[in-house]
């Protein structure tokens, strides 16, 4: 279980990084961030990039900046370091605990998770729930994408081979927002079987679910149901579960959806 | 080929490796420190755990080139002047190992955890130690050994 | 008692080690093994390297079943750094892997060739091997080897009608049948009959260290060495020698540190022969380290069985007869164990209960999956699950309490030794000793079973889905036929103990050192235990089937007593005293009358027994002795597992809240190590009960090939575990009274958790298969 050979590049600046990436992209060049998904995939020879552009040495990418009610998470910010003021920080902390284990959280990155687009990625779920935006750079220029326009499906994004994510931007939650998260995994640290995020209060309601479909999604019907008075969490959870497109009408997965949404809501309520 | 300098347990190793050489293989094969083990080589078992600048990481999930100039600690660096580190002694006293294959990984994981937070809560300890797999002990004695080092009674 | 059992069934002759804790036997001393292991100084297979070694990489079949038309190796051969690429044609002179453990005849056509020829029979089967300068290059080259395989429909269900394996040979080479009593009459006259269909999933030992084999040929001495060996060095040595056409003395096997065995490691596998052959042919050391994905498809699987069982009972819930038909999913070939697991399952199914009539038919069936063999508590984890499901079903059918039904059927102490007209592993099944009802009471009491029921009822009233379960088991251990130990004292008083046993990480060295030290009167830390190598002792039966403490432990005890007697006799001469007035304490000869005053260190006695000593003229020098222990019967440890589970109604997840293992092992040489065995064994059982499974898709592609999809429990899944190490029933069959402790922690876990899940669901008989998956439980909650 040894990776296939590749050429290694360690740019020091963003300009250098996108220049190298532009050059090697046609030869299966890839960005190496935390490596916590890419390296095992290479060890299993499921991935055989011809070049790796290691962005860990690029100055400035490991910063978290907060300005104008937005937290900006740089491409080299590790899972363990992800943080924000107020309820957003609380929500991030709730979710972070479920991403793998300490030693993996010490290396894996927030933006790498978005680029990797795993259906069961906590950060993809958060990004979708919060309508995050993603700063993308290439030698050709820069663009800003809504996360909905980034994530295509399981392990698929709209990034061009010469593009890299430079940072993700998430709007902070108002102080009085209430947040809830639920996840069910087979073992501690495993990828989720199902997970859901709920944000209630000032900015809400926001409700999103991950793992069951190829990409996380908001649940607008259920969010609407939460506007009813009195609020019926059970009914909203049923509405949420009913909205999902599941293979072969899988009753178990639909029940998991209902459970997870309900618990996330209860945690936020 | 890349020239890489690894600072392993205080000793400087200048090695020449392919970019694809994992840090784990470089530590074992190029530096000759075979105390760090491979259990899966895909990031799940933690047998390969080492401290990178003081922090536990999976050495199978990094390339050796990425550790150039970084400070690495492995199980071989725990004992000082022939005296076992208190975690090592506690593992022996609490029968926290059977085959011993997972032991270096658990020792480095635990060392990283308690150095980062000597007042680690019990819940955080359990959470932290659940990162690694052991197939022999059933874990209870590993937890007891680390608790003892934290100065806590077994629970 | 059966005729077969009677003639050779006898208690072990004296001297026996006095019951109770000794100076060092029975003490929780720390292990001799640990210091190098905690320092990183261990020598596991991957740590063994020789100058100029080549790396071997195996090319494996990507397809479950097919005709192997050709293999294109040209591109691989052309890669710089590649020294050789072999396919079946290159190793046609090497016979397939033989059997070591089966009485069943006619299995030869089902043996595995070291490289596939003509047919491939499971995804992962070795097709070719590549030898290159290092492991990275070898893997590059292996990727360039292209097999051309014409796919055939795979056989994936062992309960389906047998298919053709080879012309004239079906996929059912044998049916293991055992029967006694009038089964038909029992069912005819039964008050009630329960009938269940039950299955156990495919899982296995999966040690944390993968396999490895490093061979080197020393032409200067015409000696072939194999490093990374384990478990059965002597048998493997003899077979490797035979298959390669060399004298056994020209082949030596070396066991270093071993990262867990659990039954799967140390069997003779194709890779062991391939590295040896390559070392001979290429004249360079050859190293093969299995990677984890290979391990999941190459190393023995285990456990998968489907049982259709019926039990006849009287109005009191007493068993009258059991009639079981089961199907054992063997995988693509029959490996070294032959039909052993089927035989064990058939022989051990009755467990602790009085059973007047019994009939079993174990269908041994080949499928297109990785070959299966033993894993900790082989045949017992499976049949304890099945039998205890039956006991729960009887309770439910007759409206009796689950514990009460068991109590009514347990063999009582007055019935010990209890012979069954049954055999397994070629020995008659004679339950040697035990107080089954006594241990059951102790366990229930400690667990607070009665109060627990009230507490669970209260919690259910509050809406929780919780339940308690029970499983009673009987183990077997101490399989003979023999083991020898040589003990020698040197001039410094150091002791070398050479054993034909092996160690797979369970603490063998410490245990043998404790027994030796107890008998000899020395510090156990002065004993250096040599094991797992064929160049220091001519014979050995290795480490498996919980046999080492019983067999090698008993041989150690005898050898140590012999050395002690020699030492005292010599010392008596030197000290002008009678040997009967002397003893050895802390490594010194003392007078019994004044044990606090050391008269002569043991090393001094040894010096007087050296080859140049005047005392030894005309005698064989050395303070040393070799002794053997033989046994025709196994000893039977037993115990109880109790579990409390909580089910999450929303997800179907089963969490074990609390667990107890009570195990009577006759005598615990080191209670700390016994507890370690039980705790580790329990977590493996927990894996098999709730998490671990080798799954396949409908084309026979393995789906559990990484640690991300084969779910070994982590610390977070493990409940608080209470242990009772009971020593109420010493075995009469050996001088120590010991029974094996390696497998009791695993044996009853599937049974107890299934019982607890039923109880939580309030649906007796709901659980019919292992592992118990959230999806299944969730469905049960809704139907
Ligand atoms: C045992 C284990 C358990 C895990 N469990 C979980 C879990 O429960 N939940 C979870 O979410 N994740 C889990 N992960 C994955 C982990 O979180 C990864 O860190 C994450 O998915 C990817 O981040 P990374 O920085 O490591 O990316 P890398 O592995 O470096 O890269 C992943 C992919 O993204 C691309 N990429 C990375 N960064 C960028 C960028 N800035 N721009 C463009 N492309 C980029 C790479 O080219 C590559 O294709 C687990 C991993 C392991 C080994
Ligand atoms: S070997 Fe690195 S995590 Fe298993
Ligand atoms: S002691 Fe063997 S794997 Fe942990």
């Amino acid at each position: 279980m040894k990776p296939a050979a590749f050429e290694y590049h360690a740019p020091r600046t963003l300009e250098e990084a996108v220049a190298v990436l532009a050059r090697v992209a046609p030869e299966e060049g890839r960005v190496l961030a935390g490596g916590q998904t890419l390296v095992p995939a290479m060890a299993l020879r499921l991935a055989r990039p011809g070049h790796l552009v290691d962005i860990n040495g690029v100055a400035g990418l490991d910063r978290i900046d907060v300005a104008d009610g937005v937290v900006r998470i740089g491409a080299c910010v590790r899972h363990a370091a992800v943080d924000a003021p107020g309820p957003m920080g609380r929500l991030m902390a709730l979710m972070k605990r479920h991403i793998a284990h300490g030693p993996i959280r010490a290396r894996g990155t927030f933006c790498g998770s978005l680029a990797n687009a795993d259906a069961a990625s906590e950060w993809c779920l958060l990004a979708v729930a919060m309508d995050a935006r993603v700063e993308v750079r290439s030698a050709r220029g820069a663009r800003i994408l809504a996360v909905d326009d980034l994530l295509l499906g399981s392990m698929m994004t709209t990034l061009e081979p010469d593009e890299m994510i430079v940072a993700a931007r998430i709007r902070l939650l108002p102080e009085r927002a209430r947040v809830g998260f639920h996840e069910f995994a087979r073992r501690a640290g495993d990828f989720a079987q199902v997970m859901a995020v709920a944000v209630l209060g000032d900015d809400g309601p926001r409700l999103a679910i991950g793992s069951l479909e190829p990409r996380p999604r908001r649940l607008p019907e259920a969010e609407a149901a939460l506007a009813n008075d009195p609020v019926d969490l059970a009914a909203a959870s049923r509405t949420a579960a009913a909205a999902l497109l599941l293979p072969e009408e899988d009753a178990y997965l639909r029940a998991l959806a209902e459970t997870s949404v309900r618990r996330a809501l209860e945690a936020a309520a | 080929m890349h020239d890489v300098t690894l600072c392993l347990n205080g000793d400087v190793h200048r090695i020449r490796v392919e970019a694809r050489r994992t840090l784990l293989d470089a530590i074992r094969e190029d530096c000759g420190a075979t105390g760090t083990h491979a259990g899966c080589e895909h990031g799940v078992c933690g047998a390969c755990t080492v401290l990178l600048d003081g922090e536990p990481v999976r050495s199978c999930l990094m390339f050796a080139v990425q550790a150039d100039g970084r400070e690495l600690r492995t199980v071989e660096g725990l004992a000082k002047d022939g005296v076992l580190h208190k975690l090592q002694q506690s593992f022996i006293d609490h029968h926290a190992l059977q085959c011993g294959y997972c032991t270096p990984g658990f020792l480095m994981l635990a060392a990283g955890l308690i150095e980062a937070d000597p007042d680690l809560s019990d819940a955080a300890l359990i959470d932290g130690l659940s990162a690694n797999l052991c197939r022999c002990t059933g874990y209870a004695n590993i937890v007891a050994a680390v608790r003892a080092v934290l100065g806590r009674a077994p629970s | 008692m059966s005729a077969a059992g009677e003639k050779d069934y006898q208690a072990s002759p004296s001297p026996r080690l006095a019951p109770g804790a000794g100076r060092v036997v029975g003490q929780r001393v720390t292990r001799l093994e640990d210091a190098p292991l905690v320092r990183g100084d261990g020598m596991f297979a991957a740590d063994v390297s020789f100058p100029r070694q080549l790396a071997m990489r195996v090319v494996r079949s990507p397809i479950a079943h097919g005709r192997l038309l050709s293999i294109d190796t040209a591109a691989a051969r052309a890669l710089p750094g590649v020294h050789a690429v072999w396919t079946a044609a290159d190793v046609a002179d090497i016979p397939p892997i033989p059997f070591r453990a089966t009485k069943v005849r006619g299995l030869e056509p089902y043996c595995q060739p070291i490289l596939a020829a003509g047919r491939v029979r499971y995804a992962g089967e070795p097709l070719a091997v590549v030898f290159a300068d290092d492991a990275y290059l070898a893997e590059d080259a292996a990727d360039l080897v292209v097999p051309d395989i014409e796919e055939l429909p795979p056989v994936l269900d062992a309960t389906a009608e047998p298919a053709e394996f080879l012309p004239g040979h079906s996929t059912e080479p044998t049916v293991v049948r055992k029967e006694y009593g009038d089964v038909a009459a029992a069912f005819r006259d039964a008050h009630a009959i329960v009938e269940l269909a039950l299955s156990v999933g495919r899982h296995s030992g999966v040690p944390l260290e993968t396999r490895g084999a490093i061979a080197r040929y020393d032409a200067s001495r015409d000696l072939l060495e194999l490093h990374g060996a384990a478990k059965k060095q002597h048998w493997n040595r003899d077979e490797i020698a035979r298959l390669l056409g060399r004298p056994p003395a020209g082949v030596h096997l070396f066991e270093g540190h071993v990262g867990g065995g659990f039954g799967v490691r140390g069997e003779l596998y194709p890779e062991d022969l391939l590295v040896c052959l390559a070392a001979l042919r290429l004249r360079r050391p050859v190293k093969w380290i299995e990677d984890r994905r290979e391990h999941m498809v190459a190393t023995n699987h285990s456990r998968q069985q489907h049982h259709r069982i019926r039990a006849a009972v009287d109005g009191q819930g007493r068993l009258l007869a059991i009639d079981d038909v089961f199907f054992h999913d063997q995988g693509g070939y029959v490996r070294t164990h032959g039909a052993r697991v089927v035989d064990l399952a058939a022989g051990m199914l009755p467990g602790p209960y009085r059973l007047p009539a019994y009939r079993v038919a174990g269908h041994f069936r080949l499928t297109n999956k990785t070959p299966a063999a033993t894993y900790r508590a082989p045949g017992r984890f499976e049949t304890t699950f099945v039998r205890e499901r039956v006991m729960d079903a009887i309770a439910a059918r007759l409206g009796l309490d689950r514990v009460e039904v068991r109590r009514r059927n347990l063999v009582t102490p007055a019935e010990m030794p209890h012979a069954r007209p049954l055999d397994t592993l070629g020995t008659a099944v004679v339950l040697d000793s035990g107080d089954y009802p006594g241990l059951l009471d102790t366990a229930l009491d400690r667990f607070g079973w009665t109060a627990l029921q009230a507490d669970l009822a209260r919690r259910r009233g509050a809406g929780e889905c919780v339940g308690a379960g029970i499983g009673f088991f009987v183990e077997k251990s101490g399989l003979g036929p023999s083991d020898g130990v040589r003990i020698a004292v040197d001039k410094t008083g150091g002791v070398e103990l050479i054993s034909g046993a092996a160690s797979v990480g369970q603490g063998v060295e410490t245990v043998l050192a404790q027994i030796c030290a107890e008998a000899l009167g020395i510090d156990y830390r002065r004993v250096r235990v040599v094991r797992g190598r064929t160049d220091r002792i001519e014979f050995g039966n290795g480490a498996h089937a919980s046999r080492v403490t019983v067999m090698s432990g008993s041989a150690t005890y005898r050898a140590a007593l012999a050395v002690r007697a020699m030492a005292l006799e010599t010392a008596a001469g030197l000290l002008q005293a009678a040997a009967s007035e002397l003893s050895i304490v802390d490594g010194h000869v003392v007078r019994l009358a004044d044990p606090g005053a050391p008269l002569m260190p043991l090393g001094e006695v040894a010096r007087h027994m050296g080859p140049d000593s005047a005392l030894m003229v005309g005698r064989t020098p050395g303070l040393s002795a070799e002794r053997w222990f033989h046994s025709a019967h196994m000893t039977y440890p037993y115990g109880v597992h109790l579990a409390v589970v909580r089910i999450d109604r929303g997800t179907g997840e089963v969490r074990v809240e609390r667990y107890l293992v009570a195990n009577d092992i006759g005598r615990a040489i080191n209670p700390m190590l016994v507890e370690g065995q039980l705790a580790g064994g329990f977590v493996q059982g927990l894996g098999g009960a709730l998490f671990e499974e080798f799954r396949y898709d409908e084309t026979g592609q393995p789906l559990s090939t990484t640690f991300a999809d084969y779910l070994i429990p982590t610390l977070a899944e493990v409940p608080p575990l209470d242990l009772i190490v009971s020593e109420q029933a010493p075995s009469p069959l050996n001088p120590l009274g010991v029974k094996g402790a390696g497998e009791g922690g695993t044996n009853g876990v599937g049974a107890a958790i299934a019982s607890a899940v039923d109880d939580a669901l309030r649906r007796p008989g709901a659980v019919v298969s292992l592992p118990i998956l959230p999806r299944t439980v969730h469905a049960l909650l809704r139907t």
Side-chain angles (χ1 to χ4, degrees), chain A residues 1 45 48 187 252 259 263, chain C residues 140 143 291 648 650-651 712:
Chain A
M1 205 180 274
R45 298 205 175 193
R48 293 164 180 260
R187 292 177 303 183
Y252 176 59
T259 297
R263 289 182 186 173
Chain C
D140 293 346
D143 278 355
D291 75 29
D648 181 330
T651 61
I712 290 174

Side-chain angles (χ1 to χ4, degrees), chain B residues 24 37-48 58-61:
Chain B
L24 170 63
H37 297 151
C40 70
E41 295 181 286
H42 55 262
V44 186
C45 75
C48 64
R58 310 253 209 248
S59 64
C60 70
L61 296 190

Side-chain angles (χ1 to χ4, degrees), chain B residues 96-103 133-137 142, chain C residues 208 259:
Chain B
L97 60 150
Q98 288 181 28
C99 80
Y101 199 75
C102 69
T103 308
L133 296 178
C134 171
R135 195 59 167 159
C136 300
T137 63
I142 296 176
Chain C
L208 202 60

Side-chain angles (χ1 to χ4, degrees), chain C residues 142-190:
Chain C
D143 278 355
L144 298 175
V145 174
V146 185
D148 182 9
I149 300 171
E150 177 194 331
E151 284 194 53
L152 295 169
V155 177
L156 299 169
D157 178 3
T159 66
E161 274 305 298
E164 183 179 75
F165 182 83
L166 283 172
H169 296 283
S170 94
T171 53
E172 180 175 271
T174 188
V175 181
V176 173
R177 295 181 193 278
K178 301 182 195 283
E179 179 168 2
Y180 66 80
D182 192 341
V183 173
F187 277 92
R188 199 179 53 234
D189 302 338

Side-chain angles (χ1 to χ4, degrees), chain C residues 240-420:
Chain C
I240 290 170
R242 185 174 68 78
L243 298 171
L244 299 180
R246 299 178 55 80
V251 180
H252 278 305
L253 266 58
F254 299 88
E255 176 184 74
H257 284 115
V258 173
F262 314 126
V264 301
R265 190 198 305 279
E267 293 301 327
L268 195 57
Y269 285 93
E271 296 87 353
D272 298 307
L273 280 157
L274 286 163
V275 289
C276 287
L277 189 62
L280 289 170
R281 286 196 189 161
L282 304 176
R283 292 294 175 107
R284 285 177 69 168
V286 176
K287 178 168 180 172
W288 173 72
I289 299 300
E290 184 180 52
D291 75 29
R292 181 55 64 186
R293 187 166 44 180
E294 287 186 283
H295 180 91
M296 306 309 265
V297 296
T299 297
N300 288 341
H301 286 184
S302 196
R303 298 276 202 254
Q304 193 171 18
Q305 290 185 347
H306 184 84
H307 288 251
R308 296 173 188 159
I309 188 166
R310 298 190 309 140
V313 293
D314 70 12
Q316 265 61 58
R318 281 187 289 256
L319 287 166
L320 301 174
I322 283 179
D323 186 4
D324 182 39
V325 176
F326 72 93
F327 302 87
H328 179 87
D329 187 331
Q330 171 57 26
Y333 293 98
V334 179
R335 284 187 172 165
T336 47
H337 287 87
R340 178 174 214 157
V341 178
V342 178
D343 182 69
L344 272 168
M348 295 295 290
L349 189 138
Y353 304 121
R354 216 177 292 105
L355 184 62
Y358 177 49
R359 177 165 63 208
V360 61
H363 294 261
F364 188 52
R365 297 246 172 114
L366 282 99
T367 55
N368 294 111
K369 304 177 194 168
T370 297
T374 57
Y375 168 37
R376 205 169 198 172
R380 283 94 75 196
F381 178 87
E382 301 90 318
T383 55
T384 295
F385 169 70
V386 168
R387 176 189 66 248
E388 297 298 294
R389 292 277 71 201
V390 167
M391 300 312 282
D392 278 1
I394 293 168
R397 169 66 81 82
L398 300 192
L400 294 169
D401 178 68
R402 287 176 295 171
V403 174
E404 179 56 25
V405 165
R406 288 173 169 83
R407 231 191 280 276
R408 288 180 189 177
N409 284 285
L410 286 174
V411 171
T412 61
E415 294 166 280
M416 292 289 176
H418 183 72
R420 290 223 162 93

